Amino acid sequence: MKISLCLFLMLLFQQLYAGEVYEKGMSALRSGDYQTGVQLIEQSAQEGDKEGQFTFACLLETMNRYDLAIPWYEKAIAQGHVEAHITLAVLYYAGLGTAKNYEKAYSLVKKGTDLGSKNGYTLLGMILFHGYGIPKDTKKGLYYYELAIQANDKDESALSDLGIIYTTGKENVKKDIKKGIMYLEKAASLGSINAQLELGFDYYQGAIVPKDWKKAYVYWAQAAKKGNSTAKENLASLCRQSPASCQ
């Protein structure tokens, strides 16, 4: 299971804060005493510790209580918690715990980015490039996608999206097949199903890379192993056409 954005940020920044109750809660969580840890983190949140509020919201997300997480993110934001802007933006973008609201997602992620967070670059790039809830700006979208990869070269979402953009020339972006395939291969190696599917198609069709059905099989098999139905269907078709490619 991939770590959620909020838990990643929680683990990344927890050492920057030293509220006694909060630290006791984090210590309990690290030692495996989940019940005590959650209780102490909630206590620190109730007492107004902005890091406690952020972390408690993250913990609520792990319980799929996105509706309860939202007000705690809002409280943390009111106290100046930068990363809470990003995690709350994700909930509004995905419609988790609330109705989808692209305009609000954009406003939050832009504010968090302006305040110095690098963790919202991918979402900001996605919203701008596709024009979700705001006027489309493909140039700025590409800029933030590239920033995302510069900030974290293992950002599989940014790598996969940019790989598809550069190999297909989406939104009239100038094609860069070499760069696009490089991004897709890295994203696929990190576990991106979208990248695995796309590379499978590319090697199956042979339009932008040499046709290689064995490679197509490898990438589709990776996606199928994770339960992707499209990959499973593609594999079945490929193996009927060329049993040797599936060995």
Side-chain angles (χ1 to χ4, degrees):
M1 181 183 295
K2 291 188 172 76
I3 190 167
S4 69
L5 173 62
C6 69
L7 285 178
F8 168 75
L9 296 173
M10 177 185 81
L11 294 169
L12 182 64
F13 294 108
Q14 63 179 287
Q15 298 300 324
L16 301 179
Y17 302 88
E20 183 178 354
V21 176
Y22 172 77
E23 287 300 327
K24 285 181 179 178
M26 291 304 302
S27 178
L29 290 175
R30 287 192 290 268
S31 70
D33 188 350
Y34 189 77
Q35 183 175 355
T36 299
V38 172
Q39 289 174 348
L40 288 170
I41 294 298
E42 181 178 9
Q43 181 184 334
S44 72
Q46 296 283 5
E47 291 175 354
D49 184 324
K50 68 180 180 182
E51 191 63 19
Q53 292 165 346
F54 174 77
T55 302
F56 187 50
C58 287
L59 293 171
L60 288 167
E61 278 202 49
T62 67
M63 305 172 199
N64 295 324
R65 293 311 308 269
Y66 304 106
D67 56 326
L68 298 181
I70 289 172
W72 286 110
Y73 282 136
E74 291 172 340
K75 289 177 186 294
I77 287 171
Q79 293 201 82
H81 197 294
V82 174
E83 299 301 335
H85 290 80
I86 310 303
T87 49
L88 184 55
V90 171
L91 298 188
Y92 278 110
Y93 177 83
L96 294 171
T98 183
K100 282 189 179 184
N101 189 327
Y102 292 137
E103 294 89 346
K104 196 157 189 174
Y106 172 75
S107 176
L108 284 163
V109 72
K110 183 67 166 60
K111 180 70 177 294
T113 300
D114 289 344
L115 289 171
S117 173
K118 297 179 180 180
N119 294 298
Y121 289 155
T122 299
L123 180 58
L124 189 53
M126 192 182 305
I127 291 172
L128 285 164
F129 187 86
H130 296 286
Y132 293 139
I134 60 168
K136 186 182 296 183
D137 191 328
T138 55
K139 186 176 181 180
K140 280 188 178 178
L142 284 176
Y143 170 75
Y144 282 110
Y145 269 134
E146 292 285 5
L147 278 184
I149 293 173
Q150 291 173 29
N152 176 12
D153 65 357
K154 293 183 179 180
D155 186 333
E156 66 179 69
S157 293
L159 288 163
S160 177
D161 287 358
L162 270 181
I164 292 171
I165 288 168
Y166 285 131
T167 55
T168 63
K170 263 189 178 181
E171 301 295 341
N172 295 316
V173 171
K174 184 178 179 181
K175 287 185 179 182
D176 188 331
I177 304 301
K178 183 178 179 180
K179 189 175 186 179
I181 292 295
M182 178 185 71
Y183 281 160
L184 285 172
E185 287 177 342
K186 183 153 191 180
S189 72
L190 292 167
S192 168
I193 291 176
N194 285 340
Q196 291 162 353
L197 284 173
E198 190 70 19
L199 284 168
F201 281 120
D202 290 337
Y203 283 110
Y204 177 80
Q205 294 171 339
I208 61 173
V209 291
K211 184 180 290 187
D212 189 329
W213 283 9
K214 286 193 174 182
K215 281 189 177 181
Y217 170 79
V218 168
Y219 284 116
W220 282 340
Q222 290 172 355
K225 190 175 180 180
K226 297 172 186 173
N228 184 269
S229 59
T230 300
K232 290 179 180 179
E233 292 170 5
N234 293 341
L235 278 178
S237 176
L238 173 62
C239 294
R240 283 195 300 270
Q241 296 176 69
S242 176
S245 298
C246 301
Q247 296 176 356

